[in-house]
Amino acid sequence: MTPLTTAPGPVFGRRLPLVVGVAAAAGVTAAVLSPPDVVQGDLVRLLYVHVPAAWTAFLSYGITFAASLGWLWRRRPGMDRLAAASAEVGVFFTALAIALGSIWGRPTWGVWWTWDARLVTTALMLFIYLGYLALRRATPDPLDRAKRSAVFGVVAFAQVPLVHFSVVWWRTLHQPPSVIRPGGPTMDPSMLLVLLGNAVVFTLLYVLMVRARARMAATEDALDAAQDTHPLAGAAVSAPQLATARSEKTDV
């Protein structure tokens, strides 16, 4: 066996998981202690997780977009790994946002799912980035995979503003923006503070997850490179040519 020439760093690191854990505990505490909403009651606490999950999904796809442009410009493998890791984490947060929105919608709207513009465009965004990940798995050559994924990652980002402005362009069931909107937020300041605090928690969690996934990808690439440089033991052993040996014995 031959050791790797460059040892990969720890997957999760040391300080960041502790910071994320403390921040998450503070975020949960703030969400529990925040006052109930006049209309939604305690259901408003779900929005302290649902909205940050959706925002983090947007952030994830924004990083995939930027890293894809970076790869097309500089062709650095690290950009490809960052784009892929961010897309994977974005898919997770998109699915989480859809699930939490469904749980919130059942007692509020009376349905788990409806063909609302925001819901449909968000589900479409999820499937687009699942397609991005499927494309990566279906392309074995590293250079082709990085090139096709980078183009896909740039084009797919067009779905993000479509999701954000869907509640403005098509006034369906989902309420319009209450934080990022002209004229400022419409939320109570105490609730807005809890929401923004949890957005910071989700951003830290995103950084932790992307860093871990990118380090794992770097380790996989290093292992593949080492395997190409040093063939597996026994690769040079071939099956005996029994027919040839039997023929030579007959001639003798």
Side-chain angles (χ1 to χ4, degrees):
M1 297 179 63
T2 304
L4 294 175
T5 54
T6 55
V11 173
F12 287 103
R14 296 176 181 176
R15 296 186 181 87
L16 186 56
L18 178 62
V19 172
V20 173
V22 172
V28 171
T29 303
V32 171
L33 296 180
S34 69
D37 183 67
V38 174
V39 177
Q40 304 178 47
D42 287 328
L43 280 176
V44 72
R45 303 182 203 287
L46 274 177
L47 300 184
Y48 297 140
V49 186
H50 166 71
V51 177
W55 286 352
T56 309
F58 289 167
L59 170 66
S60 304
Y61 301 141
I63 296 297
T64 297
F65 171 75
S68 298
L69 285 177
W71 187 91
L72 291 172
W73 183 29
R74 293 295 183 90
R75 303 295 175 101
R76 291 180 177 172
M79 290 288 102
D80 179 55
R81 289 195 290 267
L82 175 60
S86 192
E88 288 183 5
V89 176
V91 165
F92 166 74
F93 280 112
T94 305
L96 179 64
I98 292 175
L100 292 172
S102 181
I103 295 172
W104 177 87
R106 180 66 180 88
T108 306
W109 294 342
V111 292
W112 294 102
W113 171 268
T114 183
W115 296 103
D116 172 84
R118 170 60 67 84
L119 272 63
V120 171
T121 53
T122 303
L124 182 60
M125 182 173 69
L126 174 65
F127 285 111
I128 286 175
Y129 281 93
L130 283 173
Y132 171 90
L133 298 179
L135 174 67
R136 296 189 63 87
R137 294 186 65 85
T139 311
D141 181 75
L143 184 59
D144 288 343
R145 180 172 60 235
K147 186 185 303 179
R148 295 172 185 175
S149 301
V151 173
F152 199 128
V154 171
V155 175
F157 186 71
Q159 183 67 15
V160 172
L162 184 65
V163 173
H164 178 70
F165 289 108
S166 61
V167 292
V168 178
W169 294 338
W170 300 287
R171 297 299 299 273
T172 49
L173 188 58
H174 198 286
Q175 63 269 30
S178 55
V179 178
I180 304 175
R181 60 185 295 278
T186 58
M187 293 183 67
D188 181 83
S190 63
M191 293 181 174
L192 179 61
L193 184 63
V194 176
L195 181 65
L196 295 178
N198 277 284
V200 173
V201 173
F202 272 68
T203 302
L204 291 172
L205 181 60
Y206 161 80
V207 173
L208 178 66
M209 295 173 71
V210 168
R211 190 180 71 168
R213 189 63 189 91
R215 285 180 172 177
M216 291 173 64
T219 303
E220 292 169 358
D221 290 347
L223 288 172
D224 291 341
Q227 209 169 52
D228 293 339
T229 305
H230 305 282
L232 294 175
V237 177
S238 59
Q241 301 296 322
L242 297 179
T244 305
R246 191 179 297 116
S247 175
E248 291 175 352
K249 188 176 180 180
T250 303
D251 294 342
V252 170

